[in-house]
Amino acid sequence: MASRDLPPVAPRCPETHDVPTLVLSLMLCTGLVVSYLPQHFRIINAKTSEGFSPWYLLLGATSSASGMLNLLIVQWPLFRCCSIISAGRCFESLLGFFQVTLQWLLFTIILVLYLTYFPKHLKYQRVMPLESDVNGDYGATSIYESGESPSSNNGGTVTTTPEWRLAVTLGLVVLLHLSLLFLLSISLLLVLPDTIPAHPYLRYLATFLGISGTILAVLQYAPQIYRTYHTKLVGALSLGTMAIQVPGSVLFVLSLVFRPGTDWTSWLAYAVTGAMQGALLVICILWKRRQKSLGIDDFGNPISTIDPQDSERRPLINDN
């Protein structure tokens, strides 16, 4: 049967309140904020984002953006319903989209903080000519290892490190990915006719966003797990955030499964992300115990258990 242009009439719009789903969605939105705040505050308080993989942040930001846009397309009829139903019912029907958008926003804040608090000793380097090399090769050393500033005149050339340039490049890729796909989605939603079922172009785009978001989610935690496993340090990762989000991801997925207007392409990415995040949490707990036994902090620095003033007063030779 051919598709028919239909206005947002009452049979297509929610007519009853689903109290359990409403309560669950509100709890999940609150839980999302509570779970991400420890990670945000940890980076801000430590004044460093050392330990994060830029590829993890890239894949996470693009995956969550794809999921958000997927839900925007598949729930577009509910957006149109808001013109004929009450504001309260409109808000309730779109809570699934608000959940996904909130998660995208909170994760993207981590990316912004990562760039803002990028470790200084990994950000700049001074390139000096190697005097012993007749070929005129250059050697690069971190300018922060000796405590100097980028503006100090100690010879050589101060440049940014490859790590910092990669981080900035990936941040721009995230912005470009979101901008292009958002403009494409909105353009198709506004230009194409509202039909039942949805226009094939919209179905293709929604499927692409759902599948690409799932693939990106599968890949998301691989670089972070690899980095954390091989450095054997927790770094700026927040165990509190992961401890809340791992069980919360189960409820998050279930809330999307039972949402009207969603399908497997809308929730599969979050199911995969929750499982991978659980694996990262286990690794971090193991390394946390290892750090404690070695007497080092999350960044590999020795933990001093002796007050400096006490050590100055303590005699060098014990009379006993």
Side-chain angles (χ1 to χ4, degrees):
M1 180 179 296
S3 300
R4 296 177 296 108
D5 291 342
L6 292 176
V9 293
R12 298 173 56 196
C13 300
E15 298 179 351
T16 60
H17 293 286
D18 188 347
V19 177
T21 303
L22 173 63
V23 173
L24 177 60
S25 296
L26 292 175
M27 291 176 58
L28 286 172
C29 288
T30 304
L32 276 174
V33 176
V34 172
S35 68
Y36 272 101
L37 286 180
Q39 182 63 80
H40 297 164
F41 286 135
R42 175 167 173 78
I43 298 176
I44 295 173
N45 292 335
K47 292 181 172 58
T48 178
S49 57
E50 187 172 0
F52 276 97
S53 167
W55 292 103
Y56 158 72
L57 297 174
L58 165 74
L59 296 171
T62 51
S63 172
S64 58
S66 296
M68 174 183 64
L69 295 176
N70 167 272
L71 212 57
L72 172 66
I73 293 174
V74 298
Q75 289 196 330
W76 186 249
L78 297 179
F79 281 88
R80 290 172 56 86
C81 285
C82 289
S83 62
I84 61 174
I85 62 178
S86 65
R89 189 170 297 178
C90 172
F91 173 77
E92 180 181 347
S93 65
L94 294 177
L95 262 179
F97 174 77
F98 294 150
Q99 285 176 222
V100 175
T101 303
L102 182 62
Q103 185 181 41
W104 163 79
L105 175 63
L106 293 171
F107 189 91
T108 303
I109 290 176
I110 298 179
L111 174 60
V112 174
L113 292 175
Y114 168 76
L115 295 173
T116 303
Y117 292 96
F118 193 86
K120 292 183 178 180
H121 66 280
L122 299 177
K123 193 171 185 178
Y124 297 103
Q125 62 184 4
R126 185 178 297 280
V127 181
M128 303 288 291
L130 300 179
E131 296 179 358
S132 60
D133 195 327
V134 296
N135 295 324
D137 291 339
Y138 287 78
T141 58
S142 170
I143 66 174
Y144 285 95
E145 291 178 356
S146 58
E148 59 176 304
S149 66
S151 60
S152 59
N153 186 16
N154 292 334
T157 304
V158 176
T159 64
T160 55
T161 61
E163 292 87 351
W164 172 242
R165 292 196 294 270
L166 174 63
V168 173
T169 300
L170 296 184
L172 293 176
V173 170
V174 170
L175 179 60
L176 184 63
H177 170 271
L178 174 65
S179 301
L180 292 179
L181 288 181
F182 177 77
L183 290 176
L184 177 61
S185 300
I186 290 296
S187 299
L188 292 180
L189 287 170
L190 296 179
V191 171
L192 295 177
D194 182 34
T195 60
I196 300 177
H199 194 281
Y201 288 168
L202 289 174
R203 297 202 303 270
Y204 295 151
L205 180 57
T207 302
F208 166 76
L209 291 170
I211 294 177
S212 63
T214 301
I215 294 175
L216 292 171
V218 172
L219 300 175
Q220 172 188 353
Y221 280 90
Q224 186 61 61
I225 290 175
Y226 177 86
R227 182 184 182 94
T228 303
Y229 180 81
H230 284 275
T231 60
K232 294 181 171 59
L233 294 171
V234 174
L237 293 173
S238 171
L239 270 68
T241 289
M242 289 186 284
I244 298 174
Q245 289 184 351
V246 170
S249 63
V250 178
L251 296 177
F252 191 90
V253 170
L254 291 177
S255 70
L256 292 180
V257 170
F258 295 109
R259 272 280 165 192
T262 61
D263 55 26
W264 65 271
T265 65
S266 303
W267 55 261
L268 183 59
Y270 301 98
V272 174
T273 300
M276 302 271 301
Q277 190 177 36
L280 179 60
L281 175 60
V282 171
I283 293 174
C284 287
I285 292 175
L286 293 177
W287 289 165
K288 196 78 172 179
R289 293 179 178 178
R290 176 180 178 274
Q291 292 169 191
K292 184 177 181 181
S293 65
L294 295 177
I296 58 177
D297 63 12
D298 293 335
F299 303 97
N301 303 313
I303 299 176
S304 177
T305 57
I306 302 176
D307 190 325
Q309 296 181 355
D310 291 340
S311 63
E312 293 177 358
R313 293 192 296 266
R314 184 172 298 174
L316 297 177
I317 302 177
N318 193 336
D319 295 337
N320 296 330

